[in-house]
Structures are given as C-alpha cells and as structure tokens.
Amino acid sequence: MINSILDNDFYKFTMQHAVIKLFPKARAKYRFINRGEHMFPPGFASALQEAIAELAKLQLTNREKDFFATTCPYIDPTYFDFLQGYRYDPTEVRIEQNGGELHIAIEGYWYRTILWEVPIMSLICELYYELTSQVRQGDDEVAEKARQKIMRYKQLGITIAEFGTRRRHSYTAHRLVVQALQAAGEGTFIGTSNVHMAMLNQTKPIGTHAHEWFMFHAAKYGFKMANLLGLEHWSDVYRGDLGIALSDTYTTDVFFTQFDKKLTKLFDGVRHDSGDPLEFADKAIAHYQQNGIDPRSKTIIFSDGLDVEKVTRIAEYCRGRIGISFGIGTNFTNDVGLPPMNIVIKMVEAYPEEAHWTPVIKLSDKPGKHTGDENMIALAKQILEIP
C-alpha cells in the first residue's frame, strides 16, 4: 500500500523542514474527521493499525535522497540527513473503532507528527475499498480516463498538477493515473504533489504549505497575526522559493487584509481552496491592482474539488486577467467507478514552546468546512470581525 517514505505530499516535507528550523519544540494533536459518515466494517481498526505499524519500517534510500536533494536545492542538506534517519513511530497514533465508527488521534512533536496525515488517509481509503469488497474499474480504463482528461485540459491551454494522494483509491490506481498524465500531458501536466510519484515519473513535486501552518501560527501569535507571520516565517526559510500563499485558513477576506504590499510583491501567487472560485479570482485581481501590481504577473492555483467542467469555467473566466494553474486531486486518483471517500485529518490543538495546549481552527470560505472547537471558532469570528 505504501512502500516509500516519500509516498506523501510535498508540502508535508516542506513544512517539516520549516518546523525543524523554527519550532522544534512545538507539539501538535490531530484528529480524523469522517465528513462522509462512512461506516467501517468490523476489524477495520485492527487492519489499519497493522498497516500503520508497517510504515515504521520505511526509510529514505540513497536514491530517494539524491532525487529529493537534487530536485529541491532550496531545502537545507541537513534536512535530507534528518529525513534519512526519520522513522514513523506508531505509538504517536491511537485508533479506536466503535461499531462502524472510526476514531483516530495523533499526538507528538509537530516536526514528527506532521508526516502522518497523508499516508493514514491513503491507507484508510485503500483498506476501506478492500475490506468492503468494492472492485474498481480495470487498469486500462483508469489510465484512459486520466489520459482523456489531460487531453481536454491541454485543449484549454492551461497547466495541471496532480494533488490526489490523500483520497486516492489505492497506490496502484494512483500510479496508473500519474503515468498516464505524464505520458499524454506534455506541456500541460507539470507535476504531482506526491514526491514518490514525482521520482518514479521524473517530474516535479508540487506544493508549498497547508492550513496547519497558519493554524499553528494563530495558536502562538493570535488570529490577527497568523497569516502575516505565517508568510513572513515561510519567506524567512525559503527566501522566495515555494511562493504560493494559501489564502483561506481564516477566510479570503481576512487573508487579503493581512497580505500586505511586501508579501503581495514577494509571493508568486495565491492558492484557492474553498468558496466560489470566480469570486476569489475577482478579489485576488482587485487586491493586486490596488497594490499597483499587474495581476497577469501573478498566479492563482485553484485546488478545490475540481473536475473538467469546473476547470473549464474557471479558465474561461480568468483567461487574460491573471495567471492560473490547477491542482486536481480526487477527480484524478479516485475516479475508478466507485464513490470517493470524504474524509480529512486536521490539526486540532497546538502546543507552542513555553505555552499550553491551544485549540486550533480553520475558517474556510465554505462554512460547512469550518473545523475545530466551536468556542474557539466563535472567538476567532469575533476577533477577526467575521459575520
């Protein structure tokens, strides 16, 4: 199911590198959220625990280390030495099953636990389909679907990255999809969020940071400083590389008030991950224009639940107004003739150095995607003056 420590999203490694440099004593807690209310079969927790125990055997090989270091020269060499010595510790993960309900909690130093989210979600999906005896379409059909999609994207004259590790049907389906995209998508397919798949297909790992980066900053510095200091610290580590800023941890409107002129000029663009994409495009364009910047010199990465129809609508709306690119996840890696799972694992508490356990939250542009402690959500809305 997972046979490489690099079978994970790139932004987990880039954040881990930054956490080691800036917050090595911070601790974190994560929790599994079953948005789709899937019912898990008897014995699922035991099977998942066994699969997680197997992850402890993974280690970075010399070949993987050479690929990663050569591809990402902006990451310190010391980090790759650290990663070669890193081992997953299954004692950081607690799993319980009550009937069809699954409960997962992760706790430990943030620099260690940050790598758990993506592989655990991948394992949950693959085991769920296997243990519920759901059979996907054949290899040829899965690959052909991906090929047809990338050909349609090629006709739009846009660039596409694959972002589907977390909710993929299986490792095999994921590999088939990336191979098909790479083979048919020259000039359109620009890479994958999965570092292992990038190495296998000699393409580029794509990503920057995730919501948890800003959620931790809110716990340490407060909601009003979370976006600004999160991006300042990111630029301190990467010095202009990895320059796409995630915009919706505390709503887009709040983000743009904290995305000051320095950061607006420094970062290459922004990522859209919730809410209406066309409204977001208008807000981003207006923000750049207000700061005397040609929006066409910047890029929006759209990554929220995309399919061919949605991408087409966004591309036609934005063409000639601002740079655009797209990160497509589940519609690539779990379009196999079965209903995809709707699950997430989110940071729920953070323990900054010399502080205490603090609930962390996310206020996306889609209210149904708010996550975290209800009292803290109410407090954040009050502080940030969100209706």
Side-chain angles (χ1 to χ4, degrees), residues 62-75 80:
N62 287 331
R63 176 170 171 259
E64 290 172 330
K65 182 180 180 182
D66 289 345
F67 167 79
F68 208 169
T70 302
T71 306
C72 306
Y74 43 80
I75 296 178
F80 299 112

Side-chain angles (χ1 to χ4, degrees), residues 64-239:
E64 290 172 330
K65 182 180 180 182
D66 289 345
F67 167 79
F68 208 169
T70 302
T71 306
C72 306
Y74 43 80
I75 296 178
D76 295 340
T78 51
Y79 171 72
F80 299 112
D81 290 340
F82 159 81
L83 191 60
Q84 200 160 31
Y86 176 91
R87 300 294 183 273
Y88 283 109
D89 180 359
T91 65
E92 295 168 344
V93 184
R94 189 175 73 253
I95 305 172
E96 297 177 0
Q97 184 172 357
N98 299 316
E101 295 183 358
L102 185 68
H103 304 277
I104 302 173
I106 303 164
E107 180 178 345
Y109 281 109
W110 189 22
Y111 78 86
R112 292 193 49 81
T113 55
I114 200 167
L115 292 190
W116 277 117
E117 174 193 349
V118 175
I120 289 179
M121 289 180 63
S122 300
L123 289 172
I124 290 171
C125 290
E126 186 155 0
L127 284 170
Y128 177 80
Y129 294 117
E130 179 182 318
L131 296 180
T132 55
S133 302
Q134 299 186 56
V135 181
R136 67 169 171 86
Q137 294 163 336
D139 290 0
D140 290 345
E141 189 169 356
V142 170
E144 179 60 18
K145 278 186 177 181
R147 191 192 72 82
Q148 290 179 3
K149 288 173 186 175
I150 200 66
M151 294 305 293
R152 291 184 65 180
Y153 294 135
K154 186 176 288 191
Q155 291 172 356
L156 291 173
I158 58 176
T159 55
I160 298 284
E162 179 274 310
F163 281 10
T165 305
R166 294 184 303 163
R167 285 182 285 266
R168 68 190 183 191
H169 171 272
S170 60
Y171 173 86
T172 300
H174 192 179
R175 188 164 179 176
L176 287 167
V177 165
V178 178
Q179 287 174 339
L181 296 175
Q182 177 74 345
E186 184 177 0
T188 299
F189 177 63
I190 58 172
T192 168
S193 65
N194 186 294
V195 183
H196 172 65
M197 295 294 174
M199 186 184 78
L200 291 182
N201 293 276
Q202 289 300 297
T203 188
K204 184 180 178 181
I206 303 287
T208 51
H209 44 243
H211 296 105
E212 66 183 284
W213 181 252
F214 301 97
M215 293 160 74
F216 173 83
H217 277 76
K220 185 170 177 66
Y221 302 106
F223 292 112
K224 287 194 172 183
M225 299 300 292
N227 284 317
L228 190 148
L229 288 180
L231 294 177
E232 287 277 8
H233 286 149
W234 194 258
S235 66
D236 288 344
V237 173
Y238 289 109
R239 313 302 297 174

Side-chain angles (χ1 to χ4, degrees), residues 239-254:
R239 313 302 297 174
D241 283 306
L242 303 180
I244 298 294
L246 181 59
S247 61
D248 73 331
T249 309
Y250 302 110
T251 75
T252 292
D253 289 339
V254 169

